Amino acid sequence: IIKLVTVESIVPIAVKPTIGVHISELEKNEKGVRKIEFAAAGESPAGIEFYSWDFAYDAEKGFKPEVFIDKEGKQIYSCKAGLYHIAVKVVDNDGLENIETIKLKINGKIERE
């Protein structure tokens, strides 16, 4: 008897993790410097091992993390006025990874009420 089965029923197919990033402004000072919290949330059937952060991401140069192993997925970064390219990588317990890139523009003006 010959029975056709899908590959997935014999060998599980690995699925790379998904990732999303929430950005919150914590404070700003009189010089226009803003303290920003980045909170990454990854999902994977294998479970998340860690996150890595590159706060000066350049696609041509590749991912070069400043923070290599972040188990919680949260970072606080101080930003002056300007344009920032940030990347966060999630790695799951199977060693699969995914990267989310963020383009963040910080306005240096302080508005007084």
Side-chain angles (χ1 to χ4, degrees):
I1 297 175
I2 297 175
K3 180 180 178 184
L4 295 175
V5 296
T6 61
V7 172
E8 295 87 14
S9 65
I10 301 169
V11 178
I13 301 296
V15 178
K16 70 180 184 176
T18 60
I19 185 170
V21 180
H22 180 75
I23 302 169
S24 303
E25 182 180 292
L26 300 177
E27 65 183 53
K28 59 185 172 182
N29 68 20
E30 63 280 349
K31 294 181 181 179
V33 177
R34 297 167 192 251
K35 190 178 282 188
I36 308 291
E37 179 183 61
F38 299 90
E43 290 187 23
S44 170
I48 300 302
E49 180 66 24
F50 64 88
Y51 302 89
S52 296
W53 298 85
D54 182 350
F55 289 98
Y57 179 70
D58 182 338
E60 290 180 10
K61 294 180 181 176
F63 185 79
K64 298 183 186 262
E66 294 173 37
V67 177
F68 289 92
I69 297 177
D70 172 7
K71 294 286 191 173
E72 294 181 27
K74 291 186 180 179
Q75 292 293 312
I76 296 175
Y77 196 74
S78 293
C79 302
K80 297 177 183 177
L83 183 62
Y84 293 82
H85 295 274
I86 300 160
V88 58
K89 179 187 288 187
V90 61
V91 178
D92 72 9
N93 290 319
D94 286 340
L96 298 175
E97 59 189 47
N98 200 354
I99 295 178
E100 178 75 14
T101 59
I102 303 156
K103 186 193 272 187
L104 181 65
K105 183 177 182 181
I106 301 294
N107 182 344
K109 297 179 183 177
I110 300 296
E111 297 178 17
R112 305 217 184 252
E113 295 181 14

